[in-house]
Amino acid sequence: MSYINIENLSLISKLTLLYYFSIATVLIIYIFQYFFGWFDFLKKYKSYLEYGFVLYLILLVGFRPIGGEMGAADSQMYLNWLNNVRNGQLETKDLGFSVILFVSSFFKDRFFFVLCSALTFLFIFLASKKMNEKLWFLFFLSYISTLYFWNHVVFSIRQGLGGAIFIYALFCDRKYIKYFFLILAVLIHKSYLLPFLAVFVSIIYNKPIKYLAYLWCLVVVMSYFFSDTIIIYIGKFIEIFDKRSVYFLFNDKNDIFYSKYGFRIDMILYSLLFIFFIIYYILKKNVNEQYLEIAKIFIIINMAFILIIKVNHSYRFAYLSWFLSPILVYYPFIKNKVKVDKNFLILFSIFLITVISYNFVKIF
């Protein structure tokens, strides 16, 4: 009889499971408290426990082992950048991130990883607070449990931090503060220039959102037939700004970091799921102007991703729209609510089980 031996798992796999099962434990407590009245004694300490959980995640990610099994290529890249800064060679590919490297260079290596972890979770926390002061923790859980978030907070750190800052910017009321943080997200990782531009396109576009949904369907067809040609032209343009475009856009099966590519129907269906949510909430008239703006931004970015869906490391481009998915799914449940909604708990449970199952299959 075969069985799963946890001891045989790599360190990164163990930490991945610990991360998601920590979130699952919190969700289970919420469910049993809401439906059966269990753990009511925790209500007295609710705010302390929620803040404590945020701190726990910062420490879990920030003090993870570096190198070895913990994504040696990514960790070593950041360590090399830190050493370059210490030797007077300032990293300037992303100006905002260079500032973080510069500050971190005066401390031990560990400081950099703790700082990035703290900033990422802090901006998600602040965005959650802006969405709903009382139910902030529910959106916080929703965001950190999404597909690929763990990858982007542990491995591609810049993209995870940029996404958290961008989310926060979307909920800033004052325009000059909003655009400051939008620009900061781009300075942390230049890939957020695409979402940044999508913000302005969404402002200009004043037609019903259903036409964007129709266009999304057309883009899927175009990508199936013409994606290879589109990638060549986009690659030549991007190479002007970033020489790594060859690595991300064009596939090399001899590369040890070779990633699955092709017309990813799984990614298209996953994106389509969130468009269905958008349409459902609009039909239910359960949205406001802020939700509609973010929905338009999502569809615009996602169309750009689908046009180049056959590229190497396509999930990194997909994340440029997927990082908005928690807002699309959970915003109507959380905004203006004063108590936990059972439909939210059910929906969140389904998504979390799906994400854990996906990671479970990958690990084993």
Side-chain angles (χ1 to χ4, degrees):
M1 180 178 178
S2 61
Y3 62 94
I4 296 172
N5 188 350
I6 299 295
E7 295 298 323
N8 292 334
L9 292 179
S10 65
L11 184 56
I12 178 58
S13 298
K14 291 178 181 177
L15 282 174
T16 301
L17 290 177
L18 175 61
Y19 174 80
Y20 282 110
F21 279 110
S22 297
I23 299 173
T25 300
V26 174
L27 176 61
I28 289 171
I29 291 174
Y30 260 101
I31 290 174
F32 278 94
Q33 189 178 75
Y34 182 82
F35 287 103
F36 306 106
W38 294 12
F39 307 109
D40 279 348
F41 66 94
L42 294 177
K43 288 183 178 180
K44 182 179 179 180
Y45 311 100
K46 182 174 179 289
S47 60
Y48 297 105
L49 293 173
E50 291 173 345
Y51 293 134
F53 188 71
V54 176
L55 179 60
Y56 160 75
L57 293 177
I58 291 173
L59 297 178
L60 176 66
V61 173
F63 284 94
R64 70 191 182 277
I66 303 170
E69 296 177 345
M70 289 299 297
D74 296 85
S75 296
Q76 191 58 51
M77 176 184 70
Y78 293 117
L79 291 175
N80 290 341
W81 287 355
L82 273 174
N83 289 327
N84 288 343
V85 174
R86 288 169 181 146
N87 293 327
Q89 302 173 17
L90 185 61
E91 175 63 42
T92 57
K93 291 180 180 178
D94 296 290
L95 184 59
F97 201 75
S98 294
V99 173
I100 294 176
L101 287 169
F102 178 75
V103 172
S104 301
S105 67
F106 293 98
F107 304 90
K108 292 184 178 180
D109 293 343
R110 174 61 61 186
F111 177 85
F112 165 79
F113 294 96
V114 175
L115 177 62
C116 290
S117 174
L119 288 174
T120 301
F121 286 109
L122 175 63
F123 276 106
I124 300 169
F125 163 77
L126 292 175
S128 304
K129 278 280 191 177
K130 279 188 171 293
M131 182 176 292
N132 190 305
E133 183 71 25
K134 292 185 177 180
L135 298 181
W136 69 268
F137 190 64
L138 294 181
F139 181 75
F140 181 86
L141 283 179
S142 305
Y143 190 92
I144 66 172
S145 64
T146 51
L147 190 63
Y148 290 122
F149 174 79
W150 168 256
N151 295 55
H152 287 291
V153 78
V154 171
F155 302 120
S156 49
I157 297 173
R158 290 178 299 160
Q159 197 167 17
L161 177 56
I165 294 173
F166 199 97
I167 288 285
Y168 173 72
L170 291 177
F171 290 97
C172 289
D173 298 324
R174 298 182 180 179
K175 284 190 176 181
Y176 68 91
I177 296 178
K178 175 178 181 177
Y179 289 115
F180 169 80
F181 282 107
L182 288 175
I183 293 172
L184 180 59
V186 177
L187 292 176
I188 293 295
H189 197 284
K190 63 174 67 71
S191 66
Y192 284 95
L193 180 60
L194 175 60
F196 181 77
L197 295 175
V199 170
F200 292 97
V201 174
S202 69
I203 294 173
I204 297 171
Y205 180 83
N206 55 7
K207 301 292 183 182
I209 200 170
K210 65 179 181 180
Y211 295 118
L212 274 180
Y214 296 152
L215 183 58
W216 184 90
C217 296
L218 178 61
V219 166
V220 172
V221 177
M222 289 176 58
S223 177
Y224 183 81
F225 291 104
F226 306 112
S227 183
D228 293 326
T229 303
I230 294 171
I231 290 171
I232 292 174
Y233 286 105
I234 292 178
K236 290 179 179 178
F237 175 74
I238 295 178
E239 193 173 6
I240 299 174
F241 305 97
D242 193 338
K243 299 298 181 183
R244 295 178 304 158
S245 64
V246 174
Y247 171 68
F248 285 110
L249 294 178
F250 304 106
N251 306 291
D252 180 5
K253 293 184 179 181
N254 296 317
D255 186 349
I256 60 172
F257 300 114
Y258 170 72
S259 178
K260 181 180 178 181
Y261 70 98
F263 190 73
R264 298 290 302 275
I265 189 66
D266 55 335
M267 288 185 168
I268 291 176
L269 291 176
Y270 189 69
S271 300
L272 180 61
L273 176 64
F274 300 116
I275 293 179
F276 280 148
F277 272 105
I278 293 170
I279 295 172
Y280 172 77
Y281 289 139
I282 291 176
L283 292 176
K284 293 283 289 185
K285 302 185 185 302
N286 196 24
V287 297
N288 56 19
E289 287 300 319
Q290 190 173 39
Y291 181 91
L292 290 174
E293 286 300 316
I294 296 173
K296 288 192 289 184
I297 293 169
F298 170 82
I299 297 175
I300 292 167
I301 304 170
N302 195 254
M303 284 192 291
F305 154 66
I306 289 177
L307 283 174
I308 57 171
I309 198 170
K310 294 182 182 179
V311 300
N312 197 23
H313 300 278
S314 55
Y315 78 93
R316 292 198 177 190
F317 294 94
Y319 186 75
L320 292 175
S321 59
W322 288 351
F323 81 100
L324 296 173
S325 62
I327 303 174
L328 303 177
V329 176
Y330 301 111
Y331 183 96
F333 288 111
I334 297 173
K335 188 65 175 176
N336 299 323
K337 295 280 185 179
V338 294
K339 65 177 183 177
V340 178
D341 190 303
K342 66 177 181 180
N343 292 321
F344 166 85
L345 291 175
I346 294 171
L347 185 60
F348 185 26
S349 300
I350 293 172
F351 267 83
L352 183 57
I353 291 170
T354 302
V355 172
I356 292 177
S357 300
Y358 173 79
N359 283 279
F360 195 81
V361 170
K362 284 205 309 180
I363 290 172
F364 295 106

